[in-house]
Amino acid sequence: MTDESTRTPALRPTRGAALCAVAALALAGAAWTARAVWQIRLAATGMPDSGPPDQGGGSHRPLTSLEDGYHLVTTVGDGATVLCALTFLSWLWAVRDNAHALSGQPPRHSWVWVYLGWVLPVANLWIPRGIVADVHRRSAPGERLPRSVNWWWGLWLFGTLTGTGLMYTVSTDKVVERAYDNLAPLLAADAAVVGAAVAGVLMVRALTAAQRGRGGHDGGTGRVGPPAGPVGPQAARR
């Protein structure tokens, strides 16, 4: 007779990881909103007569109080983004493992892509979304992919590959100069990142709920498979 615990793997608990990821996404969205507000304030104030902070040739003028505040907001936002990345990856690892347990099949992408997929050029245009979509496909077979996944990924790509996104590597002083001269593209990128954070919250909730429904436990720690019952000779005698 086969014990149920040996034939039906347990799911990893995901509720705590999901709550942390949702909170970090909300924090990152708030940080990028603050960045956009500061950029609007810079544009409304106008560039000082002394010119941009980066004067060229390695020369920098003293920052105004508003510019110094933007540097602080940017630093806090960068910290929030790092925290968001760490909590999101922790959640993604958990639901990826659960998807494996639910389907009995290995993930489409090997573990290294959970990290490398975000930073490797070209591959980072689709692999992270592919990992999330694969988790949903194995967790809720036959169900349509939540729209929040595509919204999250589309807005993330737009926001991080343009404006002041994570792939935009110029100095903060250069971003301040852009806020003075060409505000609209910065605000568009900021809005996309904030939108991606909101869609990310909905996506995390949707995928976590799908696995809890399959696992049969509110905390995500239920066992996969049919209810326990007599098997083999015992079942034949019933």
Side-chain angles (χ1 to χ4, degrees):
M1 184 172 63
T2 303
D3 184 80
E4 185 194 6
S5 63
T6 63
R7 63 185 176 85
T8 56
L11 298 183
R12 290 181 58 182
T14 56
R15 187 174 186 178
L19 288 175
C20 289
V22 164
L25 283 163
L27 179 62
W32 282 81
T33 300
R35 184 178 300 203
V37 170
W38 232 265
Q39 290 166 356
I40 293 173
R41 293 182 63 190
L42 287 166
T45 302
M47 187 181 298
D49 294 337
S50 53
D54 188 347
Q55 305 270 290
S59 175
H60 292 76
R61 65 164 172 77
L63 298 176
T64 67
S65 59
L66 193 58
E67 292 167 350
D68 195 46
Y70 183 73
H71 274 258
L72 177 61
V73 168
T74 299
T75 299
V76 172
D78 290 344
T81 301
V82 171
L83 177 63
C84 182
L86 293 175
T87 57
F88 183 84
L89 288 176
S90 177
W91 167 81
L92 186 58
W93 264 111
V95 293
R96 179 177 176 271
D97 287 348
N98 285 349
H100 182 192
L102 286 165
S103 65
Q105 300 175 352
R108 179 179 179 184
H109 301 88
S110 65
W111 68 269
V112 70
W113 290 109
V114 176
Y115 300 110
L116 194 60
W118 295 90
V119 297
L120 191 66
V122 182
N124 61 4
L125 298 178
W126 75 83
I127 283 184
R129 180 199 173 276
I131 293 174
V132 171
D134 186 57
V135 167
H136 180 267
R137 187 181 307 112
R138 297 176 191 278
S139 301
E143 294 188 15
R144 183 175 181 179
L145 184 71
R147 293 181 179 178
S148 56
V149 174
N150 289 330
W151 277 106
W152 160 73
W153 189 242
L155 290 169
W156 168 262
L157 285 181
F158 182 84
T160 55
L161 297 178
T162 61
T164 56
L166 297 180
M167 305 301 176
Y168 193 78
T169 57
V170 301
S171 68
T172 303
D173 283 344
K174 284 296 185 180
V175 178
V176 168
E177 183 177 350
R178 287 190 63 191
Y180 287 134
D181 294 337
N182 193 15
L183 176 64
L186 296 182
L187 293 183
D190 293 339
V193 173
V194 173
V198 173
V201 167
L202 299 176
M203 177 188 69
V204 168
R205 290 170 59 90
L207 268 66
T208 303
Q211 291 193 345
R212 287 207 306 267
R214 289 285 304 281
H217 192 283
D218 184 59
T221 56
R223 295 191 178 279
V224 186
V231 294
Q234 292 184 1
R237 291 197 298 266
R238 286 176 60 89

